[in-house]
Amino acid sequence: MTIVELAGLRVVRGGRAVLDGLDLSVGAGVTGLLGPSGCGKSTLLRSVVGVQRIAAGTVTVLGEPAGSPPLRDRVGYQTQSSSVYDDLTVLENLRFFARVLGLPPAAADSTVAAVDLGSHRDAVVGRLSGGQRSRVGLAVALLGNPELLVLDEPTVGLDPVLRRDLWALFNRIAEAGTAVLVSSHVMDEAERCDGLLLMREGRIIAQGTPVEIKARQGAADIETAFLALVEGVDRDGAA
Ligand SMILES: Nc1ncnc2c1ncn2[C@@H]1O[C@H](COP(=O)(O)OP(=O)(O)OP(=O)(O)O)[C@@H](O)[C@H]1O
């Protein structure tokens, strides 16, 4: 099933084409959007949730134009900067955002449980650890049980144990039926994904499963495959 479809997507930011003619499709499961800092990951995700002005092309999400009203409660989005209130508890935050979305208070309780914060539900967010805070943001994005969850570098700045736990949570969310599109610049996170989009300088240089991408490049890991792809692109570009 196709969840996201991009055709000829072009985005200009600061007078420069940040994305220039992107074509790709994203299916169910966890899809990792991986690439170095500044390659255009956030811009692509912003286009998918419909908050980015686009210069050309189309972005279709769950069969509808990105950002259109029918998608409002079908797509959850967690940006890089946290939007939760530090002076409220976990549950107060979730109940606040549930009310904004017109959802019953029970929706807050179930998302707190879904991100394993049940034992911290009455803790003030400002006193939580980085990993716990990240999960509060994730719970907000999960309110209303979206069909697509878009996460912009949710594991940045977290230690390896917390990163592993969060990835286990993304896999669990996907198994429960929500497609997850998650960006990262950490290549070793690729192994946790069902599908991968490898990105460099505004272009998708490979898409497929981790096994397919490694096999195509004859590489033992995604980082080596990425470097081989970059060398190939540079060589072809120079020829
Ligand atoms: N508001 C803006 N105005 C002009 N240029 C921008 C703006 N935001 C981002 N850019 C440029 O667009 C390019 C892509 O940025 P983007 O944030 O999409 O990359 P990214 O891969 O998500 O990076 P990071 O991993 O560091 O968040 C960068 O060259 C950046 O300088």
Side-chain angles (χ1 to χ4, degrees):
M1 186 179 44
T2 303
I3 308 284
V4 177
E5 185 99 56
L6 265 59
L9 176 65
R10 179 177 159 84
V11 174
V12 177
R13 294 183 94 172
R16 201 171 63 83
V18 173
L19 305 179
D20 200 2
L22 273 194
D23 298 303
L24 62 86
S25 64
V26 172
V30 178
T31 303
L33 173 63
L34 276 89
S37 190
C39 73
K41 301 182 297 295
S42 298
T43 305
L44 196 161
L45 297 184
R46 285 166 51 86
S47 305
V48 170
V49 295
V51 296
Q52 178 65 56
R53 180 178 306 201
I54 66 176
T58 56
V59 184
T60 310
V61 178
L62 301 163
E64 307 279 351
S68 60
L71 292 176
R72 211 157 281 159
D73 51 6
R74 297 174 70 194
V75 178
Y77 177 40
Q78 186 182 11
T79 63
Q80 274 179 40
S81 50
S82 168
S83 55
V84 292
Y85 294 101
D86 273 350
D87 54 344
L88 298 183
T89 68
V90 172
L91 196 57
E92 284 166 350
N93 263 288
L94 269 301
R95 289 210 169 141
F96 170 76
F97 287 107
R99 202 161 350 128
V100 169
L101 293 169
L103 297 167
D109 298 63
S110 62
T111 53
V112 168
V115 300
D116 297 330
L117 279 177
S119 55
H120 290 86
R121 52 190 272 149
D122 297 318
V124 173
V125 167
R127 284 190 219 127
L128 294 178
S129 71
Q132 290 163 340
R133 272 184 67 94
S134 185
R135 278 187 278 154
V136 181
L138 189 59
V140 173
L142 273 175
L143 278 169
N145 203 12
E147 291 159 66
L148 170 66
L149 187 60
V150 178
L151 308 172
D152 197 351
E153 301 225 29
T155 60
V156 79
L158 299 181
D159 70 47
V161 175
L162 289 175
R163 286 202 288 127
R164 186 200 58 197
D165 292 351
L166 264 185
W167 276 92
L169 185 54
F170 304 154
N171 292 123
R172 225 167 64 208
I173 290 168
E175 274 158 27
T178 296
V180 181
L181 176 59
V182 52
S183 70
S184 174
H185 62 264
V186 184
M187 291 289 163
D188 65 10
E189 297 192 330
E191 301 292 346
R192 304 299 306 253
C193 301
D194 302 305
L196 288 178
L197 301 164
L198 299 189
M199 191 170 189
R200 182 174 183 248
E201 293 175 356
R203 297 230 167 94
I204 299 295
I205 58 171
Q207 45 181 314
T209 66
V211 170
E212 284 166 357
I213 291 177
K214 284 186 289 188
R216 247 181 264 148
Q217 300 303 316
D221 55 58
I222 293 293
E223 182 148 4
T224 310
F226 184 85
L227 292 172
L229 282 158
V230 167
E231 276 165 23
V233 169
D234 287 352
R235 219 181 16 248
D236 295 348

